[in-house]
Amino acid sequence: MTGLTKKNPDEMKPAILQLTMIGMLAGLSNSVAAPAVTRLNPPSALFTFGDATPPYISRFMVGQRFDLQATVKADAGKVITGAAFTVDGSPVTGTTTVTSIGGDRYNVVLRAYSSVAVGARTLTVLAQQDDGLTVAASGNFEIVGTTVQGRKAKNVIYLIGDGMSLAHRTAARIVSKGIAQGKAIEPLAMDTLPVTAILNTPSLNSIITDSAPGAACYSNGNKSNNGQEGVFPDDTTDKWDNPRVEHMGNYLARTQGKALGIVTTADVEDATPGSFSAHTQDRGAGTGICDMYLDEAVAKHNLRVLLGGGRKWFIPKGQPGSGRIDSLTASGADYVVPAELATGWGVPTGAQDPGRDLIADFVTAGFVYAADGTAMAAIPAGTTKLLGLFHTGNMDVSLDKIAERRGQPAVGTVATFPDQPLLEEMTDKALEVLNRNAQGFVLMVEGASIDKQAHNMDTERFVQDTIEFDRSVARCIAFQNANPDTLIIVTADHECAGVAIIGSSNVTNAQLVTRAALGGTDGVAGAINGAAGVATDGQTQLRSGVVNTYDSAAFPVYDNTTSGDGYPVTMDADRKMLIGYGANGDRYEDWLQNVQPNVNPAVRDTAGDFFIAGQATGAGVQSAVHTAADIPMSAGGRGSSLFGGTMDNTSVFFKVMQAVIGGAK
Ligand SMILES: [Zn+2]
């Protein structure tokens, strides 16, 4: 099919249908209308563009379960009375349900299909209308097998630095390890991993992914639309009925008895943790995502460790700190899945239960619960199930947690949620608990606020959270040294904020503090007081007077030893490293550490009068955005030799599966 360029599926009617439509319209004068298939899942270029050739959009492991789904549009006033799926011409066994979804459209679904036939398979849906007219449409997918190659990985550790690309890593190395005469004094822990690859990150519907598809692809090998996790897009508004793809945790629990662990510094309902076990078209449906952790992940994925923030989803509605939502449709919604899905996947239907005490239910299911770092450190020896919720929302960032430990004034929400553990401490505890499972485990550790603070263009906080993340990588490498059958993958879900290390400060911190208050010397704050081409006070005081580039940037020096806790004594070192943002929102910049986190960058640091207009985001709270840049991946341990080169982010899943099932040399 030449002349057709591939575009976003939702923008383009299937080529075959278009031709059929044209044919039909031509023949209208002498024939009747016909039903049409407007969507066929799994997504494929065959269905959307008529292109049967690789790359196959959807790929699955041998035996990995996924749903078959089609949207069929009937003629006006007609009814779709039946439908069936075939693969390579053979009828698919199982229950196919046909549900009217309004607008003469019907949702046709067959749940939890799987195949052992390695290679490209052709999927066809056939639907019949009550007047006898039928319609068929085809797509394809690939079934991926494994080969026996050598010793297998028993444990898999994914470390995801949310939004972390090369520049974030480099900035963390400059600050935490130091550079002398051009050489890193010491590598980051992630630098010591022997294998490197480059990953493409687009989602199913955009070159710019968000964290849901950006992480889910590592957990199930497939793309999804932005904001969606563990599912393919469909045409219903129901958040919970989408065609599902089985997660690695579920698959390996079912086939090898492995345990699953999820650790994050974000709210545990957030996209990256949610993408390792939930199935929903709404990454924000927190009540349901957290209920699903117990109802499905504990029961089916052998979830044994869940650590992070997000306690609000676990507290009964009406009690202090609760965020549970009494709705199936609103933001933060609870979940109920269709009966046919529950039957097809062997999972509970769920319930709209705002009054549920989810912490109590986890404890009933055998979990030890910890609400702070001290409690987590003190869990009983031999614990095999651990739930730790250290904040009602996202945890505070490492810069602020460390300040608390150093006895400095509390900032952020540290005072309300004291004694939150650091990511490396949560990682240690997760490894200790998961390692008690004889069949091994899959662990996902997320450094979430690298992304959140890069969005906020808060340099000091995203850099320090990258350091916290790297210290967690170090803990995993130490674990791998003691447990050689462990595969470690360190990567990101996407790049955030277009981070660029532009140089260093030309002045001491004290001088910078002075300059940051000088901007308003003419008494008029803001960029508007500078005529075209005439520098504003801020541009004079804080840019041309401060930013050293090229050789005058030299080597910024940070003290990481005096603190004794492994973190920089201060991020406001003299002649500090300076960061620019290529995907920025509006902000005022004074290069100094912000006292408080999460302040709107457009109303922060105004005294310096150095306004930098953003390239993205409009009115309201300003935020830098994700970019489409490829991201780095580092791998070490058992099976890491399988990785390398440049590949699509979904390929990581299949290589991990090869390492676990077939082994590697
Ligand atoms: Zn983000």
Side-chain angles (χ1 to χ4, degrees), residues 220-432:
N220 66 41
N222 284 276
K223 306 265 183 190
S224 51
N225 276 8
N226 282 355
Q228 307 196 350
E229 47 203 34
V231 296
F232 292 129
D234 68 5
D235 295 294
T236 75
T237 55
D238 185 327
K239 298 176 191 292
W240 309 101
D241 69 346
N242 289 57
R244 290 182 169 199
V245 185
E246 185 171 31
H247 287 294
M248 178 184 290
N250 196 172
Y251 181 91
L252 291 176
R254 191 166 59 81
T255 57
Q256 297 194 5
K258 291 195 188 304
L260 175 66
I262 293 174
V263 173
T264 178
T265 50
D267 179 330
V268 290
E269 79 82 31
D270 205 9
T272 304
S275 289
F276 272 74
S277 101
H279 299 276
T280 178
Q281 71 176 40
D282 177 5
R283 57 174 281 180
T287 311
I289 288 168
C290 292
D291 285 2
M292 226 178 230
Y293 277 134
L294 183 58
D295 300 342
E296 291 196 22
V298 170
K300 296 287 177 183
H301 309 197
N302 215 2
L303 180 70
R304 295 280 185 88
V305 172
L306 181 61
L307 303 175
R311 192 188 297 154
K312 67 182 178 195
W313 307 108
F314 295 70
I315 299 170
K317 186 173 169 51
Q319 291 189 14
S322 178
R324 290 181 68 80
I325 302 294
D326 188 7
S327 162
L328 298 178
T329 56
S331 172
D334 204 342
Y335 91 100
V336 171
V337 301
E340 49 83 11
L341 185 158
T343 306
W345 282 86
V347 297
T349 56
Q352 189 172 332
D353 48 7
R356 184 178 188 179
D357 183 338
L358 195 53
I359 293 171
D361 289 354
F362 264 87
V363 172
T364 304
F367 279 74
V368 172
Y369 173 61
D372 59 33
T374 304
M376 185 185 76
I379 63 171
T383 296
T384 57
K385 294 178 178 178
L386 173 62
L387 173 69
L389 302 169
F390 309 108
H391 197 291
T392 50
N394 296 318
M395 294 177 68
D396 282 280
V397 297
S398 61
L399 189 78
D400 304 332
K401 290 183 286 190
I402 291 284
E404 178 200 21
R405 294 177 183 207
R406 292 176 179 174
Q408 293 161 5
V411 295
T413 54
V414 165
T416 313
F417 301 96
D419 187 22
Q420 296 169 54
L422 291 166
L423 187 60
E424 64 251 43
E425 295 157 351
M426 292 197 275
T427 302
D428 269 346
K429 201 46 79 175
L431 291 167
E432 177 195 315

Side-chain angles (χ1 to χ4, degrees), residues 162-163 209-211 283 448 450-452 455 493-497 623-626:
D162 201 307
T209 189
D210 78 346
S211 293
R283 57 174 281 180
I450 300 169
D451 173 78
K452 298 181 193 312
H455 275 298
D493 45 0
H494 55 78
E495 195 282 338
C496 184
S623 171
V625 295
H626 297 172

Side-chain angles (χ1 to χ4, degrees), residues 138-208:
S138 293
N140 59 9
F141 54 81
E142 183 187 15
I143 298 297
V144 178
T146 56
T147 52
V148 177
Q149 294 188 21
R151 202 173 164 87
K152 298 173 184 174
K154 175 186 172 193
N155 308 311
V156 175
I157 306 176
Y158 275 115
L159 289 128
I160 298 177
D162 201 307
M164 184 187 73
S165 192
L166 277 173
H168 304 73
R169 286 175 63 149
T170 311
R173 187 186 308 116
I174 290 171
V175 170
S176 67
K177 304 301 181 181
I179 311 277
Q181 295 173 295
K183 295 270 173 90
I185 294 168
E186 228 190 294
L188 291 170
M190 59 183 115
D191 297 338
T192 65
L193 294 168
V195 175
T196 304
I198 291 176
L199 307 181
N200 316 150
T201 65
S203 67
L204 188 61
N205 63 340
S206 174
I207 54 169
I208 311 280

